[in-house]
Amino acid sequence: MASAPSARPGTTHPTTDEESRNRQRRRVATAAALASAVEWYDYFVFGIAAALVLGDLYFPSGSPTAGVLASFATFAVGFLARPVGGIIAGHFGDKRGRKPMLVLALTLMGLSTTCIGLLPTYDTVGVAAPILLVLLRVVQGIAVGAQWGGAMLMATEYAPENKRGLYGSLVQLGVPIGVITANTVFLVAGAVTSDAAFAAWGWRVPFLVGLLVLALAFYIHTRVEETPEFKEAERKLAEGEKAKASAQSPLRTVLRRHLGTVFLAGGSFAVNTATFYILITGVLDYTTRELGMKREAVLTVSLCVSLTQLVLIPAAAALSDRIGRIRIYALGAAGLAVWAVPMFLLIDTGSLLWLAVGTFVTSCFLSIMYGPQAALFAELFTPEMRYTGASLGYQIAAVLGGGLAPFVMVLLLEASGTSLAVSAYIIGLAVIALASIKVLAGRAADRS
């Protein structure tokens, strides 16, 4: 019986093109997810610190509410800067490539976050302290505004066409991972320090972790390739197939021809980002300052709820690959509208159990929307303007929803004396979202 021929010494089986592409896809998806996670971690530690300590340390006043409002206003400044980051990175990301802008965003975020951790307080340097804090928060906002489009496009433009939702959701996982990590670091810092030590220096430790972002930026710069879709768009431009488009700014093209789509995208997503920041920042302040709940207990609930998003976000995205992004996206928005009142009725009980139930259900609807959102926004625009268009839509939502939400929540609570006013705010944004989604769905049907 003849034996099977043996492999020749010194030879190996050749790697197929498909295996090579799959390996590169995994590398890019992992790098994009990590970039998103560390960027959002750096961004979220500010929100937690704003709810817990920054008001007293950088905006001293006779009123605790005034201090919190000033702290949340600084938190909101970062959101106002995010469209600037999206515009700058969108222009150069559509012209020069996704990867360089992602590396630059990570570098800016790492440096600004570390500087916040080293920043002297008002008692030490006076009015210079809040001014520098605001400036560093602006840099954080520019960085995260630049980051999302780059990370999202690195993942979705490498993905197989029938798995763009799933690949895009890996970048979206950066949000719950960032929340989980930020909450964990704050919990550990609070557990190993006294209240006085935490206020003096313990809160700084989560910001100093920002130095690790620079290592990831270097890895992406040296080990990750540019996306195939950008390379193809660049090749067409170089061959003169779109010479007119190459001479134009991507921002000008988006504003002239696709401004309506940008605003519809922003309107569809504002309820998600507003509710999210109400959960992780506004509710933290409300439950600890107004309801007298323990900081560590509320942070633990937030941490556990965020863990569920690690499963729900990719599940919703994968489902959107099969039955359509708009359907899943609209379901999440409708759920937020329906659950806005029950959520705060449960939180107002002051019970940790009901706090967990109320925020968990809300988190489920947030995940249902957030999972397919990256692929949905990417598919609204062509490759040569995609970074700019998708980033603008996302960052407009961040300004209108997320940045102002904790600030608006405090104002509504002070003016009305009831948390149901915050529920009404969420419902109003959800109605805008559903109307925007309906128009986007109609446009998608007209194109098909």
Side-chain angles (χ1 to χ4, degrees):
M1 182 175 178
S3 60
S6 60
R8 296 178 183 175
T11 63
T12 58
H13 294 289
T15 302
T16 66
D17 290 342
E18 185 61 29
E19 288 172 342
S20 178
R21 283 195 293 269
N22 287 336
R23 185 166 59 250
Q24 181 66 10
R25 283 169 181 162
R26 288 192 293 269
R27 177 185 296 171
V28 171
T30 301
L34 287 174
S36 178
V38 297
E39 190 95 350
W40 285 117
Y41 164 83
D42 283 0
Y43 201 68
F44 291 149
V45 291
F46 192 101
I48 297 173
L52 297 178
V53 296
L54 295 185
D56 293 334
L57 295 176
Y58 291 91
F59 306 96
S61 67
S63 166
T65 300
V68 170
L69 281 172
S71 182
F72 280 165
T74 306
F75 178 69
V77 164
F79 286 83
L80 295 176
R82 282 171 61 170
V84 176
I87 290 170
I88 295 172
H91 173 82
F92 289 103
D94 284 329
K95 288 283 190 179
R96 306 299 180 192
R98 315 331 189 178
K99 188 179 80 168
M101 292 302 100
L102 180 57
V103 171
L104 177 61
L106 289 169
T107 303
L108 285 176
M109 181 62 84
L111 292 175
S112 59
T113 303
T114 302
C115 287
I116 292 173
L118 299 172
L119 188 65
T121 65
Y122 186 93
D123 289 343
T124 304
V125 297
V127 72
I131 292 174
L132 290 172
L133 183 66
V134 170
L135 290 176
L136 289 170
R137 182 60 177 170
V138 168
V139 176
Q140 277 196 322
I142 291 172
V144 82
Q147 173 272 144
W148 181 79
M152 178 270 292
L153 292 179
M154 290 291 287
T156 57
E157 289 187 346
Y158 258 107
E161 190 170 350
N162 62 342
K163 292 185 178 180
R164 282 183 176 173
L166 180 60
Y167 272 68
S169 73
L170 298 179
V171 174
Q172 308 295 71
L173 286 177
V175 170
I177 292 172
V179 173
I180 291 165
T181 311
N183 276 293
T184 300
V185 174
F186 266 101
L187 280 170
V188 172
V192 301
T193 61
S194 64
D195 287 345
F198 181 82
W201 61 267
W203 68 271
R204 297 181 181 274
V205 174
F207 287 91
L208 298 179
V209 177
L211 283 170
L212 298 177
V213 179
L214 301 178
L216 180 60
F218 179 76
Y219 173 83
I220 292 175
H221 175 67
T222 56
R223 298 294 302 277
V224 175
E225 296 181 7
E226 189 54 79
T227 72
E229 288 197 30
F230 175 79
K231 288 180 179 179
E232 177 63 16
E234 190 176 43
R235 183 189 65 79
K236 289 180 179 179
L237 291 174
E239 292 177 355
E241 293 179 26
K242 296 184 179 179
K244 184 178 179 180
S246 67
Q248 294 180 348
S249 160
L251 176 62
R252 187 181 299 115
T253 301
V254 168
L255 293 181
R256 284 182 176 178
R257 302 178 184 175
H258 305 281
L259 186 59
T261 301
V262 168
F263 279 111
L264 287 170
S268 75
F269 194 61
V271 65
N272 186 287
T273 187
T275 307
F276 175 76
Y277 284 102
I278 285 172
L279 281 191
I280 70 164
T281 302
V283 168
L284 176 60
D285 167 65
Y286 176 61
T287 53
T288 55
R289 184 167 57 87
E290 298 289 343
L291 301 182
M293 301 176 74
K294 296 294 184 180
R295 177 186 67 205
E296 290 79 8
V298 177
L299 284 172
T300 301
V301 169
S302 178
L303 174 65
C304 293
V305 168
S306 295
L307 285 169
T308 64
Q309 293 184 314
L310 298 179
V311 176
L312 293 172
I313 287 175
L319 187 59
S320 78
D321 284 327
R322 300 185 62 181
I323 67 173
R325 318 228 188 273
I326 291 291
R327 291 181 182 178
I328 302 300
Y329 197 62
L331 176 62
L336 291 176
V338 171
W339 189 248
V341 170
M343 176 182 73
F344 271 103
L345 291 177
L346 293 173
I347 291 172
D348 284 342
T349 65
S351 161
L352 277 177
L353 174 61
W354 292 121
L355 170 67
V357 172
T359 55
F360 167 71
V361 175
T362 306
S363 178
C364 290
F365 291 124
L366 288 173
S367 300
I368 290 171
M369 279 193 79
Y370 201 55
Q373 182 255 343
L376 175 64
F377 277 30
E379 291 166 353
L380 293 175
F381 305 93
T382 55
E384 62 271 11
M385 67 183 75
R386 184 172 287 158
Y387 202 137
T388 301
S391 292
L392 275 179
Y394 187 96
Q395 303 312 335
I396 285 173
V399 172
L400 298 179
L404 295 175
F407 186 84
V408 170
M409 178 176 174
V410 173
L411 288 180
L412 290 173
L413 290 170
E414 288 294 311
S416 67
T418 173
S419 62
L420 293 181
V422 185
S423 298
Y425 171 57
I426 294 173
I427 292 171
L429 290 175
V431 171
I432 294 172
L434 290 169
S436 300
I437 292 168
K438 184 175 181 180
V439 177
L440 286 173
R443 291 188 175 188
D446 291 340
R447 289 194 302 267
S448 61

